[in-house]
Structure formats: C-alpha cells, structure tokens
Amino acid sequence: MLKVENINVSYGSVKILWDVNFHIDEGEIITIIGPNGAGKTTIVKTLLGLIRSTAGTIKFYGDPIHQAPTHQIVKSGIALVPEGRELFPRMTIMENLQMGAYTSDEREDTLKWVFNLFPLLEERQKQSAGTLSGGEQQMLAIARGLMSRPKLLILDEPSLGLAPIMVNTVFEIVKTLNSQGVTVLLVEQNIHHALEASNRGYVLETGRITLEGASNELLDNNHVKEAYLGM
Amino acid sequence: MTVKELVGKYAVSSYSAYLLLILIGLVLPLMITDDFFNRIIVLTFFYIMFSTSWNLLAYSGQASLGHAAFLGIGAFASTILIINGASPAVGVLMGALAASLVGLFLGLICVRLKEWFLGLVTFGFAIIMAAVVNESSVFIEALNSLFGAAGLSGNMDPHMFGGSLGIYSPNIVSRDQYYYLFFFAMVGTILASHLVIRSKIGFAFAAIRENQAEASMMGVDITRYKLIAFMISTFMAGFAGALFAPYNYFINPEIFSIHNSFMPIIMTISGGIGTIGGPIIGALVINLVWEQMGLMGMSIDRLLILGLILVLEILFLPKGLMPLMKKLLNKASGITSRDTPL
C-alpha cells in the first residue's frame, strides 16, 4: 500500500534521515519507534508532503506522492493525527470534525461512524475544542483524522502527555479501527505499548532504520530491551 | 409581551437585525434632507464596503497594511475607462476587476509570507502605487496615449452615473441617487462577504487562519484559498474605490495614502474583526467620530486620536464592539449565550 524507498531528508545543511526504507501493507498496524530526535516526526511530515525529501521515492498504491502537495496526498487517502493533537482550539468539536471531512463527500455516514466510536464527542459537539481535556482532545484529533475516510491513518505520538489509563484507551481504539479495515502507522516513543499493539515495527535511530521485524520479535530483541525497555 | 421578551425574540436574531437595518437604510433619505448629513452617511457606506473587504482578507489570516492600493487601483482604472468612453457600469466593474487582478499578483508574492512580512509587503505596495501614480507623468502619459484622453487631474463629470446604470432617471444624479447607489453596493458587498464566510471557502479561510499547517493536513489547498481571499477582497476594495471616484468628483494619488490603508483596519478592529457586523459597526462609529472631530476644527491631527483609540481598543476591547453589543442585548433579554469567536 505504502512503499518508502531510500528517503533522505535535510533541514538546511543538517541531514535528518538517511536512506530510510519501509513499507506498509493493507490492513496492518505498523509502528516506527525510536528515541527523541531520531527523526520520527520528520518521516511523518515527509509522508504528508510538509517537508520535501532530497532523494528517494514514496509510493502510495503504486503512485509516487513524494512531490505531490499536501492537500492532494490527503485526498489520495492518507490522514495524519499530528503530534500534540494540533486541533483548531477556537472551533467547536463539530467544526473540527467538518474540517477533517474537507476532502470527503460522504460526511453524514462518516459522522455517524465516528460518533459511534467516540460517543463523548457527539454529546459535546457544540463545545470549543480548546476546552476539552488532553485525552478528549486526542480522541477528537483521531476522530477528525477519520473524517476524511483515510485508507492509511498515521498517528504521531498519540500517547504523548496522556494519563496511563488514557494511553490504554488510545491503543484500544487503534486496534478497533484496524479491525474495521483502517491501516495504521503508529509513530511512538511509548515503545512497549506500540509494539504490543502492532503487527510489525521499525526501529529508527539517529535518522536510520536500524532494526525491523515482527513486533513480538522486536519485543524480545536484546538491543530493544536494553536500549528502550530498560530490561 | 414585555419588552424583554420582544428583544429576546427578535433583536438577538441577527437576520432580523439586518433586515431592520436595511429598512432603515431604505427610508433614511426620506428623513435626512441635509446635504452634509447625506454625505457623511454615503461615506459611511463607502467605508463599510472598504472595511468589509479588509475584514474578509483578515478572515483568511492575512492582514493587509496597504489596502488603499486596491481602492486606488479600482478608482483610477474605472475613471480612466469611463472618461475614455466606457459606460459607468462597465467602468466600475473593470475597475474592480483590475484591482482583483493586481490583488492576485500581490497575493502570489504574499502566499508564503506570514504576519509582519505580509504586512510589510502590502504596506510597501501601497507606497509604490502612490509613487508610481504621483511621480511618474510617464505613467499618466502612457495611459493617455493609450486611451487618448486629457488626463485625470481635471474634475470629472458629477453626472457620470446619470441614467447610464439603468436604475436612475436619465441625466439627473441627485443626492439620493448616489445614496441608493452606495446603499445597494454596500448591501451587496456585505451579502457577498456573508455568503463567502458561510461557504466551504470561508471554512477553509478560518482553518488557514487558525492553524495553517493543520489546515493543509485536512486537505485544504493553502495557496489556492489564500489567493481566492486576496482576489475577492481586492475586488471589493476596487469596487468601493471605483464608486468613490465619481462621487468625490475627482481622484488624485492621495487615495493611496497610509491614512486610507489604516482606516479599514481601525474600523474593523473597532467593530469586531472576523465578524460580518464588525466592519459595519466599526465604520459607522469611527466615521462619525472622524466627522465630529472635523466639525470641531481638527484636520490631520484626527489621525492621532484614531491611533490612540486603536491602541486602547487593542488593550481593552480586542474583540471590538460587536461582542460587547451582543452581550448587552443578551443581558437585556436574559439569554446567556456562549461567546462565539467565529
């Protein structure tokens, strides 16, 4: 479904990503894990066309998208739930959701589906997004991402700054979505949770993919254990 | 039915408020027969159009500090065309289109700029326009040779609109006809602004203003919508300028002045930026203050006072008079409503 080949990205003269390769198949939950500053968010921004790669290709269903403008990439079926849940805080929940459906034509059905997943949002649809708690904002951010009916949903650090119980809820939702046919790319620092929720994982360190494999194998990997899980 | 209930039932609904205002606007000339008053009201209509234009661009997150440029382009372009034989309706339309085309061009430069950089470019552009028209007789001569006319500095025919727009009795342009011309132009501008803001386009404008990166991630084509905002806004400014020129009998490069660029900003902020009613109330109040200061014998020093008003407003009334009035109305009717910024 998504194939990233030899992507290189630089901010000015500072190189961030070195020959990054990964792929996502339909129906999978894939995770990219790694420490702060490894370049995880840079990968996400490159996928969405917010940053341009200096070399390499990104193909979505076989079509190259690494030179397409962001709005066209979104239209082709990729949605991003950004790090830090960048909502439109002064707009209502409903307006945020409508905004998410900007490229989509089937708003009514999608809205039903999303409200079914997040009943709380239906109750509070007239409330400003800025007045929600952190966990609720994350729910709204995910819901807004779903409003464009994406084939691939990218979640950038969805557990960031959430209470442990909310972290569990978020990962449960990711699994539920996946069971309903949404392919998910999970970019996380919460490595244990991310690997448990996903099928396959890639470890990104200082801009390079250093490890890849099935998530349960990565959980058992000695390097991952020592470096990230403190075991 | 008590007064309270009445206010609650009718006045709070903004549609009925606007209908009431339109009715008042329609019958006002029957009551006001004084030329001076009439002129102040027509100028208020003009400033409402101009401020609405500025407000629409600001609604998309782009604050122009040189909106007078488009006012002037509309005025000059339409005047050049009309004194060279174009019908007033065509001239006004082409003037507005000319402003809109230049707006598109400037928008292309501004699309990648944010905040003060955008402000500086628009600010500088108005100064360039003033310099081009002011300093360069070459410009005027080139235009003259193109159209074969005798220049723009002379007075224009005040009866320009006589009959030619089709809605006036032939060859008599009375005070009231100009009044209605501006009145309907203003209503049209406000209605257009309302329709744009309520449409999907307006939704994109708001999203870009609130969070540009996010908006693009929602699939909004940032460049396209920023340019659309520029084109609609500058069309409106050009339209206002094109109507102002014949009403004012003549135009000169003064129309590009900083004073004209800042007027719609002060007015819109006074009324309430990002709302339909904001530019209306702001233009009304500020223009009345301006004229009152004029009656008191002040001239250019009025700008000092306006500057002071602007500073005080930004400090103490950043959302303008509009939310304040709504609050008072709701209080009178006993309704507690959510404070809506959009």
Side-chain angles (χ1 to χ4, degrees):
Chain A
M1 164 183 223
L2 184 82
K3 201 162 174 55
V4 175
E5 283 177 324
N6 297 316
I7 279 290
N8 286 270
V9 175
S10 306
Y11 288 131
S13 60
V14 185
K15 199 160 179 183
I16 307 293
L17 295 180
W18 310 71
D19 293 325
V20 169
N21 286 284
F22 66 95
H23 68 95
I24 303 172
D25 294 328
E26 197 127 28
E28 279 188 309
I29 303 181
I30 294 297
T31 185
I32 296 177
I33 53 177
N36 256 333
K40 299 191 296 295
T41 299
T42 304
I43 290 186
V44 169
K45 285 186 174 166
T46 312
L47 288 180
L48 264 290
L50 295 166
I51 303 173
R52 294 289 169 208
S53 53
T54 49
T57 57
I58 305 172
K59 284 181 179 165
F60 189 56
Y61 286 111
D63 298 325
I65 56 166
H66 51 278
Q67 276 164 351
T70 303
H71 63 97
Q72 268 175 25
I73 295 174
V74 173
K75 228 174 209 171
S76 72
I78 300 180
L80 169 64
V81 179
E83 185 181 1
R85 344 169 242 284
E86 300 249 339
L87 298 163
F88 299 102
R90 297 202 297 168
M91 293 189 184
T92 65
I93 289 174
M94 192 59 174
E95 283 165 342
N96 267 276
L97 292 176
Q98 285 173 338
M99 206 55 237
Y102 202 84
T103 56
S104 164
D105 297 325
E106 33 188 333
R107 287 189 203 182
E108 291 304 313
D109 290 349
T110 316
L111 203 60
K112 263 182 209 154
W113 173 52
V114 163
F115 279 155
N116 215 3
L117 284 164
F118 306 98
L120 180 95
L121 297 181
E122 183 165 22
E123 282 168 35
R124 303 200 183 168
Q125 48 179 291
K126 286 186 180 160
Q127 199 173 321
S128 307
T131 62
L132 294 174
S133 76
E136 290 160 353
Q137 286 189 15
Q138 187 63 59
M139 298 301 154
L140 177 56
I142 297 174
R144 191 185 57 177
L146 293 172
M147 285 301 291
S148 64
R149 285 273 172 175
K151 291 165 190 130
L152 172 64
L153 184 70
I154 305 175
L155 295 142
D156 192 3
E157 306 264 9
S159 70
L160 191 74
L162 295 185
I165 188 161
M166 280 313 290
V167 173
N168 286 332
T169 316
V170 165
F171 284 108
E172 280 310 313
I173 287 167
V174 168
K175 285 185 198 165
T176 310
L177 288 175
N178 185 247
S179 70
Q180 294 182 7
V182 182
T183 309
V184 179
L185 171 60
L186 200 56
V187 176
E188 261 297 346
Q189 269 190 75
N190 193 331
I191 284 152
H192 188 77
H193 269 100
L195 286 175
E196 283 201 326
S198 57
N199 309 112
R200 286 192 300 121
Y202 294 86
V203 179
L204 186 73
E205 288 172 316
T206 56
R208 294 176 174 87
I209 302 268
T210 52
L211 264 179
E212 57 175 283
S215 295
N216 48 6
E217 281 168 26
L218 286 178
L219 271 172
D220 284 335
N221 182 286
N222 281 333
H223 174 69
V224 173
K225 273 185 177 172
E226 276 171 32
Y228 302 113
L229 301 174
M231 288 197 264
Chain B
M1 195 180 267
T2 66
V3 176
K4 221 177 193 180
E5 281 167 337
L6 243 166
V7 172
K9 198 162 183 190
Y10 297 106
V12 173
S13 146
S14 50
Y15 279 110
S16 39
Y18 283 119
L19 272 178
L20 189 71
L21 282 177
I22 288 177
L23 276 178
I24 294 175
L26 282 174
V27 297
L28 208 56
L30 302 178
M31 291 178 281
I32 292 176
T33 46
D34 181 72
D35 276 351
F36 178 71
F37 259 130
N38 190 287
R39 183 171 168 82
I40 289 178
I41 293 167
V42 169
L43 278 179
T44 303
F45 291 166
F46 161 73
Y47 276 121
I48 288 174
M49 292 166 70
F50 192 27
S51 301
T52 299
S53 147
W54 187 86
N55 181 53
L56 192 65
L57 191 59
Y59 193 81
S60 73
Q62 307 181 96
S64 159
L65 297 185
H67 230 44
F70 306 104
L71 190 71
I73 290 168
F76 268 92
S78 70
T79 306
I80 291 168
L81 286 172
I82 293 169
I83 58 181
N84 283 287
S87 81
V90 170
V92 168
L93 197 68
M94 295 311 275
L97 267 178
S100 187
L101 276 179
V102 178
L104 174 67
F105 165 74
L106 196 71
L108 278 169
I109 299 172
C110 289
V111 154
R112 289 178 186 283
L113 304 175
K114 275 182 197 165
E115 288 149 15
W116 51 81
F117 296 105
L118 171 71
L120 275 178
V121 169
T122 47
F123 186 71
F125 180 68
I127 293 173
I128 292 170
M129 279 312 298
V132 165
V133 177
N134 206 10
E135 303 296 332
S136 140
S137 54
V138 182
F139 173 76
I140 303 278
E141 274 164 23
L143 283 172
N144 288 344
S145 66
L146 203 61
F147 296 106
L152 294 172
S153 48
N155 287 0
M156 295 199 305
D157 179 11
H159 299 288
M160 182 182 286
F161 280 111
S164 324
L165 279 181
I167 48 174
Y168 306 103
S169 50
N171 297 322
I172 308 161
V173 173
S174 73
R175 192 187 58 209
D176 288 350
Q177 281 164 344
Y178 260 118
Y179 174 95
Y180 283 116
L181 176 67
F182 272 85
F183 178 72
F184 287 116
M186 174 196 69
V187 171
T189 303
I190 294 169
L191 194 68
S193 166
H194 172 80
L195 290 176
V196 167
I197 284 178
R198 291 285 153 214
S199 74
K200 204 176 168 184
I201 297 175
F203 207 35
F205 288 176
I208 292 170
R209 182 194 63 214
E210 294 293 314
N211 191 336
Q212 183 172 324
E214 261 313 287
S216 79
M217 281 186 238
M218 298 293 113
V220 176
D221 187 342
I222 305 288
T223 308
R224 185 169 153 216
Y225 284 103
K226 279 190 163 182
L227 289 180
I228 290 177
F230 247 100
M231 287 193 75
I232 301 176
S233 169
T234 51
F235 184 90
M236 287 174 174
F239 182 54
L243 289 181
F244 177 76
Y247 178 69
N248 203 41
Y249 292 6
F250 76 80
I251 45 167
N252 60 16
E254 268 296 290
I255 198 166
F256 293 104
S257 67
I258 295 167
H259 156 225
N260 267 344
S261 282
F262 278 77
M263 224 37 163
I265 304 178
I266 296 170
M267 286 170 170
T268 307
I269 290 176
S270 300
I273 194 165
T275 60
I276 295 289
I280 302 174
I281 294 173
L284 190 73
V285 171
I286 295 293
N287 196 44
L288 284 182
V289 170
W290 181 262
E291 294 296 341
Q292 181 58 37
M293 287 193 291
L295 286 178
M296 287 157 64
M298 298 167 77
S299 61
I300 202 68
D301 42 347
R302 288 182 282 186
L303 279 174
L304 269 175
I305 310 278
L306 275 199
L308 192 66
I309 292 177
L310 183 64
V311 170
L312 289 176
E313 272 170 352
I314 287 171
L315 284 175
F316 300 111
L317 208 62
K319 283 183 182 173
L321 291 166
M322 192 68 179
L324 194 74
M325 283 179 54
K326 261 192 185 154
K327 222 187 246 173
L328 288 177
L329 267 179
N330 287 349
K331 219 173 189 178
S333 58
I335 293 172
T336 50
S337 79
R338 185 173 69 96
D339 187 18
T340 46
L342 289 173

